[in-house]
Amino acid sequence: MDISDVRKRTGLSAATLHHYEELGLITTTGRVGLHRQYADDVVDVLAVIALCQRSGFSLHEIRELLAKRPGAEWKGLARAKIAEITQRINDLEQAREGITHALACTSPDIMRCHHFRATLDEVYP
Amino acid sequence: MDISDVRKRTGLSAATLHHYEELGLITTTGRVGLHRQYADDVVDVLAVIALCQRSGFSLHEIRELLAKRPGAEWKGLARAKIAEITQRINDLEQAREGITHALACTSPDIMRCHHFRATLDEVYP
DNA sequence: TTGCTCCTCACGTCACGTGAGGTGGC
DNA sequence: TTGCTCCTCACGTCACGTGAGGTGGC
């Protein structure tokens, strides 16, 4: 696969792919001229990277995870991340509720709305 | 309020508060010696900032939002963000499902698990 | 007087984006 | 031969964190 094929399949930029290669997350099978060539399964690796990034893993953490697979060690990291994800979903739902109310609110200034202020109090009690 | 009071109430670092001040998100009421002093309602502003950050607004966007309030203009931005938040919640739930399954999976290598690969296919179809 | 937290630069980090100038395949 | 995308630096961006060296209130 050429880099343009990978870009089309994933929507990732050349800079992103270069960056992942530099960090050792993906590899090339070689070059044709100066142009990088990739194995077909690079898309699977990129999908794992995307999935893990959404979960809040840093690229360095993802490198560790990929290296530890298929060992048992990464399961500890995974369990910790599930709790983090749940927390972040709760945060997002709280934020969405705050904005939704602010839109529906009839107060001239949201900062004077009791419902909105109640949401703020949850942020910094 | 002293900066240490603000730090205790919010858990934010001095560097963060300096950064917000530099961007014009918060202001001081003056100084005692070199030490910054804050009005009580700075905590409300910081709560709004935290809420908006969780929603995916950049600090520059938040500055615009705070400036436009209580005008009607910010409502357009808010509506767009609600859709984004919903998307990100879906992403997180997908990621959580992927990890949860990977933990429960009996396959020696997750990359060989059909259920996990089905999740990857959703990332880059 | 002794700590303590505060202060101001300045540079580092993370995950890339963005030109600047140049090479190679179709 | 003409474009086109690719290439390699190098520097920029965003939201801070982290010393380094110094000042001021309690």
Side-chain angles (χ1 to χ4, degrees), chain A residues 20 24-25 45-46 48-69 77:
Chain A
Y20 289 175
L25 286 165
V45 179
L46 291 170
V48 173
I49 294 172
L51 209 60
C52 289
Q53 271 195 308
R54 289 180 195 171
S55 313
F57 286 100
S58 72
L59 293 181
H60 289 286
E61 285 178 310
I62 296 170
R63 216 183 87 80
E64 298 304 303
L65 252 81
L66 290 173
K68 282 172 182 168
R69 177 182 59 83
L77 291 168

Side-chain angles (χ1 to χ4, degrees), chain B residues 39-91:
Chain B
D40 286 9
D41 65 0
V42 77
V43 176
D44 292 331
V45 179
L46 290 170
V48 173
I49 294 172
L51 209 59
C52 289
Q53 270 195 309
R54 290 179 193 172
S55 313
F57 286 99
S58 73
L59 293 181
H60 288 285
E61 284 178 311
I62 295 170
R63 217 184 87 80
E64 297 305 302
L65 252 81
L66 290 173
K68 282 172 180 166
R69 177 183 57 84
E73 200 174 352
W74 65 272
K75 294 204 172 188
L77 291 168
R79 260 184 268 272
K81 282 294 165 185
I82 288 179
E84 268 184 46
I85 292 174
T86 301
Q87 178 60 47
R88 285 177 51 211
I89 289 175
N90 289 340
D91 282 351

Side-chain angles (χ1 to χ4, degrees), chain A residues 39-123:
Chain A
D40 286 9
D41 65 2
V42 76
V43 177
D44 291 332
V45 179
L46 291 170
V48 173
I49 294 172
L51 209 60
C52 289
Q53 271 195 308
R54 289 180 195 171
S55 313
F57 286 100
S58 72
L59 293 181
H60 289 286
E61 285 178 310
I62 296 170
R63 216 183 87 80
E64 298 304 303
L65 252 81
L66 290 173
K68 282 172 182 168
R69 177 182 59 83
E73 201 174 351
W74 65 272
K75 293 204 173 188
L77 291 168
R79 259 184 267 271
K81 281 295 165 182
I82 287 178
E84 268 184 46
I85 293 174
T86 302
Q87 180 58 48
R88 286 177 51 210
I89 289 176
N90 289 340
D91 283 351
L92 283 172
E93 281 171 348
Q94 188 192 358
R96 185 169 58 177
E97 263 188 45
I99 297 183
T100 301
H101 175 75
L103 279 171
C105 186
T106 55
S107 256
D109 187 351
I110 333 147
M111 291 305 276
R112 298 189 180 286
C113 164
H114 295 299
H115 185 94
F116 189 72
R117 294 189 67 86
T119 303
L120 293 188
D121 277 343
E122 288 180 41
V123 179

